[in-house]
Amino acid sequence: MSTKTSRTDRAPLVFVPLRTDEAASLVTTGTLGGPVSAIAITPGLCETFGVEPDSEDAELAALQVAAVWSLVRGDRRLVMVARVDAHGDADPGEEPNGAVLLPGLPLSAVTAFFTGPHPADEADVARKLAHSDIDGAWQNTDVQALAADAPLLWHDVSELPASVKAKEH
């Protein structure tokens, strides 16, 4: 039996930190207009974390950086995993962390998403991180405690509409 591999199946993974309102917009409209910040497995990220580009360790590093960035940018750890054809341009100042700017994010490119298990606790941490950069937030003891004590939860993309609706109420 032969199966076709679509172009997006071969596209590289990116990890897109979103605010709750951005996730709701993505579900409602089917796309987020750009530029959209994301974390990609770039040479800078691999060098920063000492990982090989095509490894699970590189994916985990990118996911963890995106989770921290979602706290800096928003109200909780919320990360979309997407396959996109182009990484986009480097995000100035965060290149060593794999940060890129995508021209947009179609919902059809999202394959899964991650959330933290305790949104209220994360909102408190996010408020403390306002105006931080990724490196500063990474060193924050509250962020380190979240990473150690409340691992991210994986969700299938089909759960996104219900997840967003639950957060609106």
Side-chain angles (χ1 to χ4, degrees):
M1 181 164 146
S2 170
T3 59
K4 286 185 175 179
T5 302
S6 75
R7 209 171 147 186
T8 56
D9 289 341
R10 294 185 309 259
L13 286 175
V14 293
F15 299 84
V16 185
L18 293 182
R19 296 185 315 264
T20 304
D21 64 317
E22 291 172 324
S25 179
L26 179 62
V27 167
T28 302
T29 65
T31 191
L32 281 181
V36 175
S37 298
I39 302 297
I41 301 170
T42 63
L45 178 116
C46 292
E47 183 178 327
T48 297
F49 289 91
V51 295
E52 293 297 319
D54 293 327
S55 69
E56 286 184 25
D57 290 337
E59 290 179 8
L60 181 58
L63 173 62
Q64 294 303 327
V65 171
V68 170
W69 203 358
S70 68
L71 285 171
V72 170
R73 295 184 63 245
D75 53 358
R76 65 179 302 202
R77 293 184 294 170
L78 175 60
V79 178
M80 301 293 128
V81 180
R83 288 201 178 272
V84 295
D85 283 327
H87 281 316
D89 297 323
D91 192 350
E94 296 294 350
E95 298 97 331
N97 294 311
V100 296
L101 295 173
L102 303 175
L105 178 66
L107 181 58
S108 61
V110 176
T111 61
F113 68 102
F114 288 85
T115 63
H118 308 294
D121 294 343
E122 292 178 2
D124 290 339
V125 173
R127 278 190 288 281
K128 295 176 189 176
L129 296 175
H131 310 293
S132 295
D133 61 7
I134 294 173
D135 292 333
W138 191 271
Q139 299 301 320
N140 181 286
T141 56
D142 292 329
V143 170
Q144 291 176 6
L146 276 177
D149 300 336
L152 292 167
L153 304 173
W154 177 90
H155 303 275
D156 185 83
V157 70
S158 65
E159 298 174 60
L160 187 57
S163 178
V164 169
K165 187 173 183 176
K167 301 301 180 242
E168 292 175 342
H169 300 290

